[in-house]
Amino acid sequence: MDHNRLAERLFPHIHTTPEEIEARYPKRQLAEGAKVTRMGPSPTGFMHLGNLYGALVDERLAHQSGGVFYLRIEDTDKKREVEGGVQTIIEAFSSFGLPFDEGATLDGDDGAYGPYRQSQRAAIYQTFVKSLVQRGMAYPCFCTEEELAAAHAQQEQNKENFGYYGRYAVWRDRPMEDIEAALDKGTPYVVRFRSEGSIEHKLRHEDLVKGKLEITENDQDVVILKSDGIPTYHFAHVVDDHLMGTTVVVRGEEWLATLPVHLQLFRAMGWKAPKYAHTAQLMKIDPETGGKRKLSKRKDPELALSFYAQQGYPVPAVLEYLMTLLNSNFEEWRRANQDAPMDAFPFSTKKMSGSGALFDIEKLRDVSKNVISRMDTDTVYAAIADWSATHDRAFHALFTRDPAMSKAYLAIGRGGKKPRKDLALWADAKGYMDLLFDELFRPDYTMPERVSAEEAKAILADFAPLFDAQDTPDDFFAKMKQIAAAHGYATDTKAYKADPSAYKGAVGDVSMVVRVAIAGRQNAPDLQTVMRILGRERVLARLDQCVAALGSA
Ligand code: GLU
């Protein structure tokens, strides 16, 4: 077989040599130990949590080591590509604050190792395939879909492994005349890699997440170039990650099955394979069956990255939650370093679990509450204003009408050792703040059990003339005691508990009556502060409104 002649026949338009291409991708000048990682998403228009999960690993590994994190668009499958897909990818990562150091941008490339869109790299891949053909390591295969299906059926019947290998690799050793005849007829073909592997052999591999593995060698002659001249994932991965200098490939564990193919290709090309970190699938407990299953695009809205922005989960909360899934020791670190930026956490692939990570939205809410409780008032105000501007225009108008008022409310219980944790996402702001806005105020005047409607009215009537917006919490509480005593309620809870029959209730019942009247619910932040924010006029109006409502009850 004249391999050179075959290579020229298949790739007459390729005049570059592998060496010329290699020269365009010099070794990166980085400090010892610096890692180069990349995201290689396909522009399908759908970005999911798994993408972010992997990206966080990439970003941490690179930036923690003084390395490079870059974006490569894997657009070799035109059928799955959607218009604006690249934009969706870039916007999703930038909204999650995971900065790429280089790679594809909206209108081109930024970096010296491009092009960063695989669709623009056809000549590069073909140069390397041509060289494999020249060396007898790759060959064209003219099998039709029908022929491959027939082989598959045969293998099924014989209970043999599926695929293109051994006697099923019908073009592997075909004479040149057959190949040329097929080419002369213009028969479409793919290029396959000639595997020298055997399923009798195992290869050892150490994955950064899965640990030591023993995997069966690949004996299939896999397709490396499709009939349109575009490479398959396998070949593009090997060529790109070599040229672009990737040192750690972080990708979903679904790629583990074809790792032997990739290692084989790296060897055939004479290139050093990168390290691999195969990340576990994101699982959840199915609310219906109670069983564990993979997150599903169809059933689980929380799989889509867009879900988090829509609901108003703060970006750092989502990242922190993903970090709790990624590194088993993150939560402990966070408890000990409450105010440290997340980047200060020493992330390690050694702490990643090799089995499925269990995604739990309730846990995300808890993490988010903690994250928001540590934010300062101005940050929270800006985030709510920003979120509501696109997702709840009506609330936005109320919320930003008097910024000082909204901020004063958001400041209640913020800071200090035990901050309030009312908000898990920005969409919660409306329900938490409704009592500030008469437009949203829908009071539920359910009074404490021990207080009748008549009594509640009398308490409110007594409180109205005593109200002073300048009162400190202590002043306010003294007034509550005064009213309690006048109405036969114990002025302290201990006294009430010691002899309940001597009282109608305790001072807490009295202040609860005032709280319900003002806040329209039993659960609200510090009442004295709320009343100061509302101001005298609105407080008195609320007291009247409640008395009127109780009167008609
Ligand atoms: N384009 C591949 C995917 O969408 C990327 C896998 C990888 O990171 O190598 O899954």
Side-chain angles (χ1 to χ4, degrees):
M1 166 72 76
D2 185 342
H3 297 304
N4 273 323
R5 181 167 149 183
L6 176 58
E8 281 314 317
R9 182 78 207 261
L10 297 179
F11 301 101
H13 56 288
I14 295 293
H15 305 295
T16 41
T17 63
E19 293 70 30
E20 283 164 345
I21 292 185
E22 295 262 12
R24 300 208 307 251
Y25 294 85
K27 203 169 156 7
R28 291 174 183 268
Q29 298 301 314
L30 291 168
E32 177 83 19
K35 297 184 172 75
V36 179
T37 60
R38 86 298 190 270
M39 271 305 286
S42 302
T44 59
F46 182 69
M47 292 304 290
H48 57 82
L49 204 57
N51 294 127
L52 187 62
Y53 184 75
L56 192 53
V57 178
D58 282 316
E59 193 273 340
R60 285 293 73 218
L61 289 181
H63 291 154
Q64 208 166 254
S65 65
V68 177
F69 171 44
Y70 71 91
L71 173 65
R72 179 170 72 226
I73 301 294
E74 307 217 326
D75 53 355
T76 53
D77 187 351
K78 288 289 159 199
K79 286 195 289 293
R80 291 175 63 221
E81 187 165 341
V82 301
E83 177 124 2
V86 172
Q87 187 168 350
T88 309
I89 291 170
I90 291 175
E91 282 172 1
F93 289 114
S94 92
S95 72
F96 277 99
L98 293 178
F100 292 108
D101 304 303
E102 68 178 52
T105 63
L106 276 187
D107 45 11
D109 279 343
D110 177 15
Y113 290 80
Y116 296 94
R117 284 170 172 76
Q118 289 183 331
S119 59
Q120 295 172 7
R121 303 174 60 78
I124 296 174
Y125 305 119
Q126 290 175 15
T127 301
F128 288 105
V129 176
K130 182 173 184 178
S131 120
L132 283 174
V133 174
Q134 280 166 345
R135 290 181 281 150
M137 295 164 86
Y139 62 89
C141 163
F142 298 86
C143 282
T144 60
E145 294 283 336
E146 291 72 31
E147 285 165 337
L148 294 175
H152 189 93
Q154 179 83 62
Q155 288 160 345
E156 183 152 39
Q157 206 176 33
N158 299 351
K159 298 198 167 38
E160 291 170 314
N161 286 340
F162 293 126
Y164 199 90
Y165 63 94
R167 68 190 173 94
Y168 295 103
V170 293
W171 284 91
R172 184 175 160 114
D173 294 312
R174 279 294 251 276
M176 188 70 173
E177 301 86 77
D178 289 7
I179 295 176
E180 289 198 313
L183 289 172
D184 288 342
K185 275 195 273 173
T187 318
Y189 66 90
V190 298
V191 178
R192 290 183 183 270
F193 176 71
R194 176 186 290 270
S195 170
E196 300 296 342
S198 155
I199 53 167
E200 303 300 324
H201 297 156
K202 298 269 182 212
L203 61 97
R204 283 179 213 281
H205 177 78
E206 185 152 0
D207 186 89
L208 293 178
V209 178
K210 303 277 173 188
K212 288 199 168 71
L213 303 170
E214 257 203 18
I215 35 184
T216 306
E217 258 181 24
N218 169 56
D219 69 338
Q220 307 263 337
D221 285 0
V222 296
V223 176
I224 53 176
L225 210 59
K226 295 183 269 190
S227 55
D228 54 3
I230 295 294
T232 53
Y233 167 80
H234 310 309
F235 198 66
H237 151 51
V238 170
V239 170
D240 290 350
D241 283 317
H242 165 68
L243 293 178
M244 299 181 182
T246 309
T247 64
V248 184
V249 167
V250 179
R251 61 184 184 187
E253 65 186 0
E254 64 277 17
W255 295 110
L256 206 49
T258 44
L259 178 64
V261 173
H262 307 145
L263 293 174
Q264 188 179 38
L265 287 172
F266 272 106
R267 221 175 19 246
M269 303 300 289
W271 297 334
K272 184 169 181 270
K275 289 199 161 56
Y276 288 89
H278 286 96
T279 57
Q281 293 274 1
L282 287 175
M283 315 282 282
K284 76 179 264 183
I285 300 289
D286 187 298
E288 271 157 41
T289 66
K292 250 197 209 180
R293 63 163 172 77
K294 273 199 283 185
L295 281 173
S296 125
K297 186 170 168 181
R298 194 169 48 83
K299 293 189 206 154
D300 306 312
E302 70 269 31
L303 182 59
L305 276 192
S306 52
F307 170 85
Y308 300 90
Q310 265 155 24
Q311 300 280 308
Y313 281 96
V315 163
V318 178
L319 296 180
E320 289 238 346
Y321 176 60
L322 290 182
M323 194 52 94
T324 65
L325 291 180
L326 282 169
N327 261 198
S328 48
N329 55 332
F330 177 72
E331 277 180 280
E332 195 187 319
W333 176 87
R334 177 46 91 205
R335 272 194 294 275
N337 300 276
Q338 303 221 351
D339 299 315
M342 193 174 90
D343 290 359
F345 170 68
F347 174 79
S348 164
T349 48
K350 291 202 180 69
K351 299 282 182 193
M352 284 172 72
S353 147
S355 50
L358 197 58
F359 180 82
D360 175 359
I361 197 124
E362 284 308 317
K363 186 78 202 285
L364 167 61
R365 286 183 63 91
D366 285 345
V367 169
S368 193
K369 280 183 180 174
N370 280 325
V371 167
I372 295 178
S373 77
R374 289 195 302 267
M375 292 177 173
D376 64 34
T377 302
D378 284 341
T379 306
V380 175
Y381 177 83
I384 296 173
D386 199 38
W387 176 83
S388 59
T390 23
H391 296 96
D392 189 346
R393 300 282 318 156
F395 178 64
H396 180 80
L398 297 173
F399 179 76
T400 55
R401 188 168 59 194
D402 179 351
M405 181 179 85
S406 291
K407 284 186 192 179
Y409 188 82
L410 291 171
I412 302 175
R414 196 159 286 285
K417 278 223 153 21
K418 284 200 123 214
R420 291 187 63 93
K421 295 179 182 172
D422 304 281
L423 306 174
L425 36 127
W426 306 130
D428 289 348
K430 183 175 173 178
Y432 175 59
M433 302 183 77
D434 58 355
L435 59 92
L436 269 196
F437 308 105
D438 292 341
E439 293 85 343
L440 300 178
F441 187 60
R442 305 267 180 284
D444 167 5
Y445 290 132
T446 305
M447 290 296 168
E449 254 173 69
R450 293 189 287 250
V451 186
S452 69
E454 283 314 305
E455 200 105 55
K457 281 198 284 185
I459 289 171
L460 295 174
D462 279 3
F463 176 63
L466 294 179
F467 170 71
D468 182 343
Q470 302 316 315
D471 277 350
T472 64
D474 284 349
D475 297 337
F476 172 69
F477 204 60
K479 289 176 182 176
M480 291 296 106
K481 283 185 174 177
Q482 183 187 334
I483 298 173
H487 289 265
Y489 290 77
T491 54
D492 75 286
T493 317
K494 262 206 218 112
Y496 172 72
K497 283 204 173 133
D499 187 7
S501 61
Y503 306 98
K504 291 184 194 159
V507 63
D509 294 315
V510 174
S511 55
M512 183 57 86
V513 169
V514 178
R515 178 183 304 271
V516 168
I518 302 297
R521 49 181 147 98
Q522 296 198 359
N523 189 351
D526 180 62
L527 190 55
Q528 182 55 28
T529 313
V530 169
M531 291 193 295
R532 194 165 53 235
I533 296 170
L534 288 172
R536 180 169 185 81
E537 213 174 298
R538 290 175 71 203
V539 167
L540 295 180
R542 292 237 168 134
L543 296 176
D544 283 349
Q545 185 180 344
C546 182
V547 168
L550 291 173
S552 64

